[in-house]
Structures are given as structure tokens and as C-alpha cells.
Amino acid sequence: MKVLVTGYTGQLGYDVVQSGLKIGLNMVGIGSKDLDITNEAAVTYYVKEMNPDAIIHCAAYTAVDKAEDDKSKCWDVNVEGTKHLAKTAKEIDAKFLYISTDYVFNGEGDSPFDEKDKTNPIGYYGLTKYEGEKILKQLLDHWFIIRISWVFGINGNNFVKTMLRLAETKKEVNVVGDQVGSPTYTFDLAQLIIEMIQSDKYGVYHASNEGFCSWAEFAQEIYKQANADVKVNSISSEEYPTRAVRPKNSRMSKQNLIENGFHPLPKWQDALKHYLNELKQEVK
Ligand SMILES: NC(=O)c1ccc[n+]([C@@H]2O[C@H](COP(=O)([O-])OP(=O)(O)OC[C@H]3O[C@@H](n4cnc5c(N)ncnc54)[C@H](OP(=O)(O)O)[C@@H]3O)[C@@H](O)[C@H]2O)c1
């Protein structure tokens, strides 16, 4: 099976390629320098030449705050870029797996959102990711949408790396405690993606690591597991204003994964333990 993976230079795309290679799939990972997905002619030419059996679309404009002031760039990448890839996938009859986000929901209430719940993004980035979902449903027959949240992986920057960096100079940090969700370890998710792309169980899925926490609880667990003596002060979203408003409730249920016989990802604390080991191996 030949699989084209966008976003290879980012966190998730990198691990998806490694995961596919491990089981002998023909994986081709690309970043924006290989192919700018906002360029329709380039996308059509490149993808048709390669003629993959499947496209796993991990590339995105992911700067959530910057997106509020850089709307046209964010739209071009997340909506137009997705449209160009999906149109070409249709022409060559390739399966299409699109990575989406908890930010398609408005974050109200405190129960987990399921796959069929109403979407209502509160920020521009979330809106563009939702527009991407709609394009797939309009254009394609063979599509998967996987919504994920709070991503951490070996290839790129993320909350875990930031907390570890802060521990080098600080004894105390303030972290938001009233946004609750689930971290997603790209190593775990990549294995699920590779299993899913080989199936024909199309549809919308939620796939973060199991269990819920606030960002402050996530930070506390990072310091506990890393044996770092840093005090975490839990603060409110209002005390940490950001350009884009974040949903307070990012809990997602994994009903569709279970109903279709896929294994939910490991607990987020176990994923973190694995990740801290992965980081240690990288330093050696
Ligand atoms: N990070 C999170 O917390 C989070 C949460 C929920 C959902 N997601 C979704 O998960 C997916 C993966 O996120 P991630 O954290 O792995 O992303 P990331 O590390 O920010 O990487 C983004 C990737 O997109 C590529 N890209 C950006 N603009 C492009 C363009 N015009 N043409 C081609 N490629 C382009 C980048 O390539 P270059 O390096 O060449 O620029 C890079 O490989 C995304 O769909 C994102 O929306 C992420």
C-alpha cells in the first residue's frame, strides 16, 4: 500500500510515517517545501504523479492564536489546501484520512462530546478545521476524520517540552486549570491511524489518549514523572488571556472507535511515561 502523508515535518505526520514503515507500508512523507498544499496545480500534479492508495492529511496551519490575525493564510492552508488534496484523491480514487480537532466544538458543559454532537467552533482555527471536515464529506466517499486534542510528539514543540524547559529555570509556574481535555501522544495515535487507513471503516472518530485532565493537572503529572521540583499554580483562563478563546470543555467520547472494533489509545499518564522515555533516548 502506497501512502502519502502531509505534515511530515510536524509532530503527527512524522510518527505516522515511522509507524507505517515499521509494518512495511510504502510511506511518503512531505512538508511544505516538498509540496505547498495551497498551490492547486502543484497538488494535482504531485499527487497524480505519485498515485498513492491513500492520503493521510496531517498538515495544517496550527498557530491557534496567530490565526485570529492571519485569517487568509489559515484559510488557505486548512480549507483550500484540504480541498486541493481531496479533489485529487477523488480523481485517483485514494482513501483520505483527515486530522481534525476538539476545537470544532464550543466547549460548553462538562460532558464528553461524541462524534455526532453539534459542532460550533469558537475560534478561527477551529472554524477552518471544521470547513475542512465539510469538504471531505461533500467531495469524497472514502474518508476518515479523526478529531484529536493537546498533541505531543517527538518531532516538534509542545506543552510537555515547554513545561520541561521551564523547569530548568523556575520553581513555580502558573497553568490554566479550568480547561479540561485529553492529551494525544502522536506515537500512540500513529499506530491507530495506520490500522484505520488499511480498513474500510470510514467515518468520524475521536482519538485522544484515555482519561481527562486540566492543563494544570497535566503539568503536575509531567513534573511528577520527570522528578522535577516545580510547584504548579492552577489559574483561570481569565487570568491567562490569549488571542484566541479556548474551549473549557475539550472532553471527547470515543464511542465510534469502540463500536468499530478499534482499541482506544492508552491512558494519558502512560502515554506521558512512554514519551518522557522517548525524549531520554533522543538525548543519548
Ligand atoms: N498540535 C495540537 O495540539 C493539535 C490539536 C488538535 C488537532 N491538531 C491537528 O493535528 C494535525 C497535526 O498537528 P501537528 O501538531 O503535528 O502539526 P505541526 O507540528 O504544527 O506541523 C504542521 C505541518 O503542516 C505543514 N504545513 C503547514 N503549511 C503547509 C502548506 N502550505 N503546505 C504543506 N504543508 C504545510 C508543516 O510543514 P512545514 O514544516 O514545512 O511548514 C508541518 O509539517 C493538524 O491537522 C492539526 O490541525 C493538532
Side-chain angles (χ1 to χ4, degrees):
M1 185 178 196
K2 192 194 253 189
V3 185
L4 175 63
V5 181
T6 67
Y8 176 58
T9 47
Q11 297 191 87
L12 180 60
Y14 178 81
D15 271 335
V16 168
V17 170
Q18 308 311 320
S19 199
L21 289 174
K22 263 186 219 153
I23 62 154
L25 300 186
N26 180 357
M27 306 297 289
V28 182
I30 54 171
S32 66
K33 289 201 178 75
D34 305 298
L35 175 67
D36 177 358
I37 61 169
T38 65
N39 181 334
E40 182 168 13
V43 170
T44 310
Y45 178 78
Y46 188 98
V47 178
K48 279 192 177 170
E49 272 290 297
M50 181 172 296
N51 197 25
D53 304 297
I55 298 174
I56 300 177
H57 181 29
C58 302
Y61 182 106
T62 55
V64 175
D65 290 313
K66 220 169 139 207
E68 299 294 326
D69 301 308
D70 196 9
K71 291 194 166 98
S72 78
K73 179 83 193 294
C74 181
W75 180 273
D76 277 354
V77 177
N78 292 355
V79 184
E80 299 302 326
T82 300
K83 193 187 291 171
H84 302 151
L85 287 163
K87 270 168 128 177
T88 319
K90 173 98 182 165
E91 285 183 46
I92 60 169
D93 197 24
K95 294 177 179 181
F96 199 98
L97 190 151
Y98 172 74
I99 301 298
S100 189
T101 167
D102 56 311
Y103 284 16
V104 300
F105 297 116
N106 63 12
E108 285 174 12
D110 54 15
S111 47
F113 289 94
D114 74 36
E115 295 82 353
K116 293 187 193 73
D117 273 332
K118 191 177 172 310
T119 48
N120 185 13
I122 54 175
Y124 195 74
Y125 162 80
L127 174 87
T128 60
K129 293 296 292 184
Y130 178 55
E131 289 296 322
E133 291 191 6
K134 287 196 326 209
I135 285 165
L136 258 62
K137 293 179 185 175
Q138 282 158 10
L139 290 180
L140 300 175
D141 301 318
H142 301 146
W143 54 265
F144 307 88
I145 291 170
I146 307 187
R147 298 190 185 125
I148 62 174
S149 52
W150 302 13
V151 172
F152 63 98
I154 198 77
N155 195 47
N157 284 319
N158 55 56
F159 182 77
V160 183
K161 286 187 182 173
T162 303
M163 289 301 120
L164 293 175
R165 205 167 40 244
L166 287 174
E168 288 167 15
T169 54
K170 296 199 185 307
K171 284 275 153 236
E172 217 169 306
V173 293
N174 296 337
V175 184
V176 170
D178 60 1
Q179 293 169 21
V180 177
S182 311
T184 307
Y185 180 27
T186 54
F187 178 90
D188 292 334
L189 177 64
Q191 293 178 56
L192 172 69
I193 288 175
I194 292 299
E195 188 187 347
M196 198 177 278
I197 201 70
Q198 296 175 90
S199 80
D200 55 4
K201 295 175 180 174
Y202 303 109
V204 179
Y205 293 90
H206 293 168
S208 44
N209 282 100
E210 285 298 292
F212 304 123
C213 59
S214 68
W215 287 109
E217 287 164 340
F218 190 16
Q220 275 159 358
E221 184 68 19
I222 294 165
Y223 292 137
K224 187 175 131 198
Q225 291 197 19
N227 290 319
D229 185 19
V230 180
K231 180 166 179 258
V232 177
N233 302 315
S234 175
I235 60 167
S236 68
S237 301
E238 288 69 32
E239 288 173 283
Y240 187 75
T242 48
R243 182 70 183 88
V245 184
R246 264 75 172 166
K248 289 204 170 158
N249 176 20
S250 279
R251 297 174 185 87
M252 295 192 288
S253 83
K254 322 287 166 46
Q255 205 51 36
N256 217 20
L257 272 190
I258 295 156
E259 278 169 14
N260 282 285
F262 293 111
H263 293 295
L265 303 188
K267 282 190 200 145
W268 68 266
Q269 294 93 332
D270 295 336
L272 176 63
K273 190 171 169 197
H274 186 177
Y275 181 57
L276 293 178
N277 275 329
E278 195 185 7
L279 287 177
K280 266 191 218 151
Q281 297 302 319
E282 196 191 36
V283 170
K284 274 182 194 165

